[in-house]
Amino acid sequence: MTTVLVLGGTGEARALAAALHDDAPEVTVITSLAGRVARPRLPVGEVRIGGFGGVAGLADWLAAHAVDAVVDATHPFAQRIGVNAAAACPRAGVPLLRLARPGWSARAGDRWHRVSTLAAAAALVPSLGTRAFLTSGRQGLAAFAHDDATFFLVRTVDPPDPADLPAHHALLLDRGPYTRAGEGALIDEHAIDVLVTKDSGGALTAAKLDAARERGLPVVVVERPSRPVGVPEVADVGAAAAWVAAQTTRAGSASTG
Ligand code: NAP
């Protein structure tokens, strides 16, 4: 048997666990979740929840659980765990792959303003509109908390810290996937005139971009943070499963050689 740790919290991580479960019975998949969400969507296979305790904690965990390979399938904006994995895996002698969905691309009719940080997004919003649909997540809310001039429709999965909420807001607790019609209805109901999003990529939350394009709304798109260099990367679940299969062969030859 080969043991693979999938650093998860994304649809891609769940899809990879399912693919390995269905097609690679010789692989034991353990998915790791940070524990940020109260009721996470769980993948098939084993699941562990909670931080490892930094680079050293992760390296120790890999050794203690005889992990043969790690796939970092965390969200594009989960920067620290990627850095930790890139340091811990070589230390533990375990190969690492990054599975990252592609970012979104602007299409004809889009009015995107790309910024590199949430703080830059918060600074830009008042020049683009007065009623913002804020979809950048609970952890990024604090950057907008000081903006008393803008109304924010804030959508998060779990309730945010009240201190992070701007003065004028409506809070919507929800989790994708979302539809174009549903996103359009929200935009219209709240008279939204600017959308704020991270460049998360993927199909589950892309409908807001379609709805904004249809209405000619400006969109503030926060670009992805950098990831560690030197980690091989694939963009789809099939390629990640193939990489795992190659590690399985490698682990098998090492144990018989
Ligand atoms: P982060 O800033 O990169 O990580 C902070 C710390 O949380 C890490 O140092 C690690 O703690 C722990 N951690 C993160 N991901 C983990 C995982 N999959 N398993 C075990 N521990 C993990 O991460 P984040 O941005 O807070 O995101 C947390 C999780 O939510 C990630 O798994 C990510 O895939 C998911 N997520 C994030 C976003 C987002 O926008 N950031 C959106 C959707 C889903 P230790 O140092 O103690 O090991």
Side-chain angles (χ1 to χ4, degrees), residues 133 153 182-193 195 208 211-212 215 217:
F133 185 11
L153 173 61
E183 298 292 62
L186 268 182
I187 288 172
D188 295 342
E189 180 191 340
H190 292 273
I192 295 299
D193 55 13
L195 168 67
K208 59 192 169 189
R215 288 158 179 76
L217 298 187

Side-chain angles (χ1 to χ4, degrees), residues 17-218:
L20 294 172
H21 178 266
D22 291 346
D23 302 332
E26 71 286 4
V27 175
T28 299
V29 182
I30 307 172
T31 299
S32 176
L33 302 177
R36 297 275 187 283
V37 177
R39 288 180 297 106
R41 287 203 178 101
L42 293 175
V44 295
E46 289 182 37
V47 176
R48 67 160 300 285
I49 297 181
F52 295 95
V55 174
L58 178 54
D60 290 348
W61 198 95
L62 296 175
H65 292 79
V67 171
D68 297 297
V70 176
V71 179
D72 172 10
T74 54
H75 191 272
F77 282 80
Q79 197 175 14
R80 184 135 52 96
I81 187 70
V83 170
N84 289 358
C89 287
R91 193 187 281 197
V94 176
L96 170 67
L97 178 75
R98 168 79 180 138
L99 166 59
R101 65 180 87 143
W104 289 314
S105 302
R107 291 165 40 187
D110 278 330
R111 295 175 55 205
W112 285 11
H113 300 258
R114 287 189 176 274
V115 295
S116 53
T117 62
L118 284 164
L124 186 59
V125 162
S127 68
L128 296 175
T130 57
R131 299 183 64 84
F133 185 11
L134 185 52
T135 64
S136 51
R138 182 168 55 111
Q139 295 183 80
L141 261 184
F144 299 87
H146 66 277
D147 182 349
D148 296 342
T150 307
F151 165 84
F152 289 94
L153 173 61
V154 176
R155 182 168 66 194
T156 58
V157 175
D158 282 327
D161 183 337
D164 291 343
L165 284 165
H168 308 292
H169 73 269
L171 177 61
L172 184 60
L173 301 181
D174 203 356
R175 166 153 63 185
Y178 302 107
T179 64
R180 179 191 294 219
E183 298 292 62
L186 268 182
I187 288 172
D188 295 342
E189 180 191 340
H190 292 273
I192 295 299
D193 55 13
V194 55
L195 168 67
V196 183
T197 180
K198 297 192 285 198
D199 182 12
S200 298
L204 298 184
T205 58
K208 59 192 169 189
L209 301 171
D210 298 328
R213 184 185 315 110
E214 281 167 2
R215 288 158 179 76
L217 298 187

